[in-house]
Structures are given as C-alpha cells and as structure tokens.
C-alpha cells in the first residue's frame, strides 16, 4: 500500500520536476552563449521574423506527426490539437535537460493525464522521435551530394551518415520495431504487448513523408536566418543550407547527455555552412542560431499555452 502511495506521489510531482529542471538547464544554456558575437551585428528584420515564424511552424509540424501516429496506433479519443500542442511544447522545452529521456518522458507523463495509455504514448513518442531523426538525416544525405561538401565533410563522414540512416530505417521497419517493442514490453511488465501497440507500414510512410516535408520547413527557416545576417546569401545555396542545418540538427538530437544538442549541432553546422558562407559569417550564424532556436522554442511554448487557455 505504501509503495502504491509513493508511486502516486512520484507521478504527481514528476511533471513539476520536469518544469523546474527545464528552467534551470535552459538558464544554463542561455548563460553559456557567446553574446559578444552580437555586438554591432546588423540583422535584416523581415527575413529574421519570417525565419522565426517558419521555425515555430516546424514545431507545430511535430505535433501533427505525433498525433497522426497516436491515431494510427488506435487511440480512439485523441485530445484536441490545442491541448496536445501544449503538452508537446512543454515536453519540447525539456530538450534543454541533458539526455533525451526528459523530452520523451515529458510527452508520456503529461499526455497520460489526457486519457491516453502510457504504453501507446511511449511507442508513439519513440517512433516520432526516431522518424524525425532518420527523415532529417535522409534528406541531408540526398541534398549534400554536392562538390562543395568535399571541402568540409569527407566521403567517410557522409558514409557514416548514410549508415545511420540505413540502420535507423531498419529499426523503424514495422516487423523489426514491433519485435523490439514487444521484447522490451515483456521485459518490463512480464506481459505480452497489446496488438494495438504495433506500428504498420501506413504509420511509417505517413510519418516519414511528413517529416521529409518538415525538413524543408526547418531548413528554410535556417536559410532565412542566414539571409537576415548575410543578405547576399543566394537562393542557389538554399538546398545546401537546408541539408547542412538538418544534418546538424539531427546529429544534435541523436546525441545523448547534451542539452538541446548544443556542441555537436554547433560544430557540424559551422563546418558545413563554411562551404557556402565566409568563415566569420558561418560562425556568427551558428552562434546566433542558438539564441534564435531558444526564442522559437519559448515562442512555441507561449503560443500553445495561450491557445490552450483561450480554448478553455
């Protein structure tokens, strides 16, 4: 009886722990930025505003994919979009906590209060996160087949990216993914996984297609950020910047124990952007993108919270 009460208390206070940890690590993230790079920086306002709007749209795009997977897994009563967006935004902010567990756990625990089973939420959240990384990497591998890449990324590195995409695709293949889920479910609960937790080819193709399109949304936002800092960046470099920033973002997401992929994402972006931008401009864009990304995350959270309160 005491263990059950302790479990209930832990479940009740865990969301508050997520909130507190997010605030602390978000503050640490902001304190680690090199604000000296922003002195005397002239930014074109219209491309910057457009880039932020598109970046926020990409975050809403993740909600659409997550909701689609939940429906395909048999969730009969999926909460309205405004409520699900608010849950996703809260969990998205948990990316600033080192490791990838907080982001996934936040979605599961916060959304479980909406009447969706934790098992279905866990499978849907893992599937959505994995599809996002694999789709962004796959898009990058296609778009970065450019002679300019050879100066900053050798064939071995590109081969590693392709290998990761291939491995991720194999893991996401429904028979393999369902086998792994059933094994883990039985290991944890000592019970067989429900057939409703099994993904299918429609789920995989739909979610992958959505995130393939989402790669162009995210990459365009970064390209407009580059244009706001370096106006003479040509649209001929759009696809290259799209591939470079998606590759850096996906590698950051896939790297554990790093808040919001900082470091891995920054180094990757710096080296790749230096192929189409002057080195000093690529450095400024990389540093500014961290503040810009944090601003987009906070804006996404505030917008979803406001929308949810208005709907209430």
């Amino acid at each position: 009886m005491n263990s059950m009460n302790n479990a209930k208390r832990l479940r009740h206070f865990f969301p508050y722990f997520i909130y507190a940890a997010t605030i602390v690590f978000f503050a640490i993230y902001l304190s680690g930025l090199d604000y000296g790079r922003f002195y005397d920086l002239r930014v074109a306002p219209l491309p910057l505003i457009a880039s932020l709007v598109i970046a926020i749209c990409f975050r809403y795009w993740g909600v659409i994919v997550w909701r689609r997977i939940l429906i395909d897994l048999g969730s009969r009563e999926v909460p309205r979009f405004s409520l699900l967006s608010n849950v996703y935004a809260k969990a998205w902010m948990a990316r600033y906590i080192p490791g990838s567990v907080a982001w996934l756990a936040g979605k599961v625990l916060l959304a479980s209060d909406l009447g969706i089973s934790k098992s279905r939420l866990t499978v849907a959240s893992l599937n959505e996160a994995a599809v996002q990384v694999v789709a962004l990497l796959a898009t990058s591998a296609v778009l970065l087949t450019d002679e300019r890449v050879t100066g900053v990324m050798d064939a071995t590195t590109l081969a590693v990216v392709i290998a990761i995409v291939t491995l991720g695709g194999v893991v996401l293949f429904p028979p393999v993914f369902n086998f792994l889920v059933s094994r883990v479910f039985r290991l944890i609960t000592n019970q067989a996984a429900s057939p409703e937790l099994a993904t299918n080819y429609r789920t995989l193709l739909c979610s992958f297609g959505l995130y393939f399109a989402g790669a162009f949304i995210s990459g365009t936002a970064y390209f407009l950020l580059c244009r706001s800092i370096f106006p003479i960046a040509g649209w001929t470099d759009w696809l290259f910047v799209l591939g470079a920033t998606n590759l850096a973002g996906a590698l950051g997401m896939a790297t554990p124990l790093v808040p919001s992929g900082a470091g891995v994402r920054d180094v990757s972006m710096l080296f790749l952007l230096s192929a189409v931008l002057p080195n000093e401009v690529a450095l400024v864009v990389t540093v500014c993108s961290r503040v810009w990304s944090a601003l987009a995350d906070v804006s996404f959270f505030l917008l979803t919270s406001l929308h949810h309160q208005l709907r209430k």
Side-chain angles (χ1 to χ4, degrees):
M1 190 68 177
N2 288 333
S3 61
M4 291 179 62
N5 290 333
N6 291 334
K8 288 182 178 179
R9 292 194 191 98
L10 180 62
R11 183 177 177 276
H12 176 74
F13 285 108
F14 191 78
Y16 296 101
F17 168 76
I18 292 289
Y19 298 151
T22 298
I23 293 172
V24 170
F25 284 104
F26 186 63
I28 294 173
Y29 175 85
L30 292 179
S31 67
L33 299 178
D34 184 7
Y35 293 98
R37 297 283 177 184
F38 306 142
Y39 294 148
D40 300 324
L41 179 65
R42 296 181 181 274
V43 178
L46 289 181
L48 179 62
I49 294 172
S51 69
L52 279 171
V53 171
I54 296 175
I56 294 170
C57 289
F58 175 71
R59 285 148 179 79
Y60 274 108
W61 198 260
V63 184
I64 294 173
V65 179
W66 188 40
R67 187 176 187 274
R68 181 70 258 169
I69 294 174
L70 284 171
I71 292 173
D72 285 344
L73 287 177
S75 296
R76 295 180 176 83
E77 296 183 3
V78 178
R80 62 180 183 270
F81 187 77
S82 61
L83 183 55
L84 209 60
S85 299
N86 190 228
V87 169
Y88 192 95
K90 292 175 181 177
W92 185 261
M93 290 298 297
R95 296 184 311 131
Y96 292 93
I97 302 175
S100 303
V101 176
W103 172 38
L104 297 172
K107 286 196 290 186
V108 173
L109 291 174
L110 295 173
S112 64
D113 292 334
L114 307 179
I116 308 174
S117 73
K118 289 188 179 67
S119 299
R120 184 175 285 113
L121 282 167
T122 301
V123 172
S125 299
L126 285 171
N127 193 271
E128 184 257 332
V131 168
Q132 183 175 172
V133 172
V134 172
L136 295 182
L137 285 174
T139 308
S140 303
V142 172
L143 295 177
L144 291 179
T145 54
D146 189 306
E147 66 275 4
R148 291 171 294 185
V149 180
T150 57
V152 291
M153 187 169 68
D154 57 23
T156 302
T157 306
L158 188 59
V160 169
V161 172
I162 295 174
I164 294 174
V165 172
T166 304
L167 178 61
V170 171
V171 171
L172 286 171
F173 194 59
V176 178
F177 186 83
N178 295 333
F179 172 77
L180 294 174
V181 168
S182 64
R183 287 287 184 176
V184 173
F185 192 87
R186 181 175 289 279
L187 181 64
I188 295 175
T189 66
N190 201 28
Q191 296 177 354
S194 169
E196 292 183 350
L197 299 182
T199 62
N200 51 57
Y201 293 102
R202 183 182 66 180
T203 304
L204 176 61
L205 292 175
C206 181
S207 57
F208 189 88
L210 285 170
Y211 263 129
F212 183 82
F216 287 83
I217 299 174
S218 175
T220 300
Y222 275 101
F223 177 74
L224 289 173
L225 174 64
C226 293
R227 292 267 296 184
S228 70
I229 296 172
F230 191 61
I232 63 174
W235 281 94
T236 54
D237 296 325
W238 170 57
L239 290 178
F240 185 90
V241 172
L242 191 151
T245 53
N246 278 315
L247 174 60
L251 291 176
M253 289 179 60
T255 304
L257 304 178
V258 180
S260 193
V264 175
R265 188 197 68 130
D266 297 341
V267 171
S268 304
M269 186 181 299
L270 176 61
F271 277 108
L272 289 168
L273 289 182
S274 65
V276 293
L277 298 174
N279 291 340
E280 62 275 11
V281 175
L283 177 60
V284 171
V285 169
T286 300
V287 175
C288 288
S289 70
R290 296 182 64 188
V291 178
W292 171 84
S293 180
L295 182 59
D297 291 340
V298 172
S299 300
F300 176 51
F301 171 73
L302 294 177
L303 283 172
T304 57
S305 298
L306 177 61
H307 188 196
H308 174 53
Q309 291 301 321
L310 291 174
R311 286 299 302 268
K312 286 176 65 176

